[in-house]
Amino acid sequence: MGPFDRLGGGGAGGESAPRLTPGLLVVLCVLMTLNPIVANMYLPALGIMADDLGTNIVGIQLALTAFFLGVAVGQLVVGALSDSLGRRRVLVLSFVVLTAASSFVAAAPTLEVMILGRVLQGFGAAASVVIVRAIVSDIGVGTQVSRAYSILIGTLAVGPLLASLSGTVLLQISGWRAILVGTVVASVAYLVIAVVAIPESLPAARRAPFRLPSMIGSYGRLLRDPAYVGFALTMAFVFAGLTVYVNATSFVAQDVLGLSPWGFWLIFTAYGLSVFAGGWANAPLSARYGSRTMLAVDLAVAIITTAALVVITWLGALTVATYAVLIVVCCAAVAGVMANATTLTLGRVSFAAGSGAALMGCVQFALGALAAPIGGLAGPETALPMTLGMLGCFVLSLVASVFGRHHERRAPRGFPTDENPPALPGGGAAP
């Protein structure tokens, strides 16, 4: 039996759960590219958009912050709803919202209206993060779960690659408004994929009625597991560091390093390929050495390479070559951190995969939203805020992982024994 094969399990009343087959994994990988495409497609046009909309770099970066805030809040709602109504139905409805919001953004006449639309875009896009993770948790078995998360994180890099390429091409052909129209087209494509190719992974017997007090109580129970909180923050802080890089790399490449828009695309492509390679390499490594060991190794590599970037930038010795090499190594390690932290976090809450994935994703994107403007705080002429912001986030991720590991040793079952896991949405017995 292959790593992604599983005998179909029967739900109550004969309802059969799907298997985590290679075909389904490919579809989930495609859905994982949604957020980076919608979030990052306009990055090559940051400076032009800022001029046309009468703002500065930090002002236009708020559009990315708004998107992340929408994703953060949206995941809390989507996660609980999917535990109640099922994964597929909520995914399709969310992508309908995303398509409408993308059309609103494309027609926005001012920055303020665009920011509002980006919040709605993020709310609709939230499902692509939380439901993909929940589906893997629903039907994955044993080591195939960590392997699936590693592959999903690696494939996540395809999104920025497609976003930067399509954004650059559309900018050259028809200006930055065409990029926003491109997000509408992408949203429609993802909606079609959800309708056609996503099965329902949560049988009706495992669902719970959606009630606001129950949802709040469920998240409260999750927050009382300090190991869950520690590993979720590990993921969130390392994602925030990656967000600092992604949001600043356009002007760092073009204004600090003097590259053309196509030169920026090449640098961004190297970053994307490094995340792709790091995620895929982590799959066999985590299976052999364990997620905890690889998490520690990857965090160490990310911190060391980012510290080198800080020193080189501080000394005024940053070049295209050093920047590219250190970013590639750093982001490959970051992909491993994200995959292993996801495995450890959701391993704590298999009885409530939707809510567990949603709360983790909410914290992840909330911190990403806060961190997004850091790289531009000193203007577009220096890379120092970007490198310092990345280093600070990675150090905080290390602290959170130590905290999570400490409490995991004290409560290895994944939930306090005096709690009642079946009361959580999608409840079932705790492992």
Side-chain angles (χ1 to χ4, degrees):
M1 184 164 56
F4 295 107
D5 293 328
R6 180 187 178 185
L7 295 176
E15 186 177 357
S16 179
R19 296 179 299 166
L20 189 56
T21 62
L24 178 56
L25 185 62
V26 168
V27 175
L28 297 179
C29 285
V30 171
L31 293 187
M32 283 292 283
T33 66
L34 185 152
N35 267 303
I37 285 179
V38 177
N40 300 324
M41 191 181 288
Y42 74 98
L43 289 182
L46 280 183
I48 299 173
M49 290 176 66
D51 292 339
D52 288 354
L53 294 172
T55 185
N56 54 26
I57 289 292
V58 173
I60 204 67
Q61 284 178 326
L62 289 176
L64 182 60
T65 297
F67 178 83
F68 281 163
L69 286 175
V71 174
V73 175
Q75 286 191 75
L76 292 179
V77 178
V78 165
L81 279 176
S82 73
D83 279 336
S84 176
L85 303 178
R87 314 297 187 205
R88 185 179 184 278
R89 184 186 307 176
V90 174
L91 184 69
V92 171
L93 290 175
S94 296
F95 285 0
V96 170
V97 173
L98 171 66
T99 302
S102 297
S103 302
F104 182 82
V105 170
T110 65
L111 177 62
E112 292 75 16
V113 175
M114 182 181 294
I115 288 174
L116 173 61
R118 291 285 280 175
V119 173
L120 297 175
Q121 260 188 328
F123 196 91
S128 69
V129 180
V130 64
I131 290 183
V132 165
R133 290 170 174 166
I135 289 174
V136 172
S137 185
D138 285 340
I139 60 179
V141 174
T143 59
Q144 71 173 189
V145 174
S146 62
R147 291 180 181 180
Y149 286 138
S150 296
I151 292 172
L152 288 169
I153 293 297
T155 310
L156 191 64
V158 175
L161 294 182
L162 294 175
S164 62
L165 176 59
S166 58
T168 301
V169 170
L170 290 172
L171 177 64
Q172 299 294 322
I173 292 176
S174 190
W176 62 267
R177 284 284 180 185
I179 298 176
L180 302 183
V181 174
T183 63
V184 179
V185 176
S187 300
V188 172
Y190 284 108
L191 174 59
V192 171
I193 292 170
V195 171
V196 172
I198 294 297
E200 179 54 64
S201 63
L202 186 66
R206 292 175 55 197
R207 301 175 195 173
F210 179 80
R211 299 185 182 92
L212 184 60
S214 175
M215 181 184 75
I216 295 173
S218 297
Y219 289 133
R221 288 187 174 94
L222 293 173
L223 289 171
R224 289 199 295 274
D225 179 1
Y228 170 88
V229 172
F231 291 133
L233 287 175
T234 301
M235 170 65 165
F237 279 120
V238 83
F239 177 81
L242 194 63
T243 302
V244 172
Y245 164 74
V246 169
N247 211 35
T249 187
S250 175
F251 69 78
V252 169
Q254 297 179 70
D255 296 331
V256 178
L257 298 175
L259 296 173
S260 68
W262 283 109
F264 154 69
W265 178 77
L266 289 174
I267 288 285
F268 205 70
T269 298
Y271 144 75
L273 291 175
S274 70
V275 174
F276 182 84
W280 279 71
N282 183 74
L285 290 173
S286 63
R288 179 173 182 178
Y289 299 107
S291 295
R292 294 163 187 82
T293 299
M294 291 311 303
L295 177 65
V297 171
D298 289 330
L299 269 173
V301 173
I303 290 172
I304 291 170
T305 51
T306 310
L309 266 177
V310 170
V311 173
I312 292 171
T313 304
W314 185 279
L315 295 175
L318 188 65
T319 65
V320 174
T322 56
Y323 179 75
V325 170
L326 289 172
I327 283 295
V328 162
V329 176
C330 173
C331 292
V334 164
V337 176
M338 293 171 67
N340 292 308
T342 298
T343 300
L344 294 173
T345 304
L346 297 187
R348 309 286 299 178
V349 292
S350 59
F351 50 85
S355 296
L359 186 58
M360 178 182 70
C362 174
V363 176
Q364 169 189 339
F365 279 88
L367 288 182
L370 293 175
I374 289 176
L377 289 179
E381 290 80 26
T382 174
L384 193 58
M386 181 193 78
T387 56
L388 285 172
M390 292 172 64
L391 180 59
C393 289
F394 296 158
V395 170
L396 289 171
S397 181
L398 175 61
V399 172
S401 71
V402 172
F403 176 84
R405 188 72 183 100
H406 169 73
H407 286 282
E408 183 187 46
R409 293 190 185 99
R410 299 179 60 184
R413 283 179 56 83
F415 205 81
T417 55
D418 59 344
E419 293 286 1
N420 182 20
L424 290 158

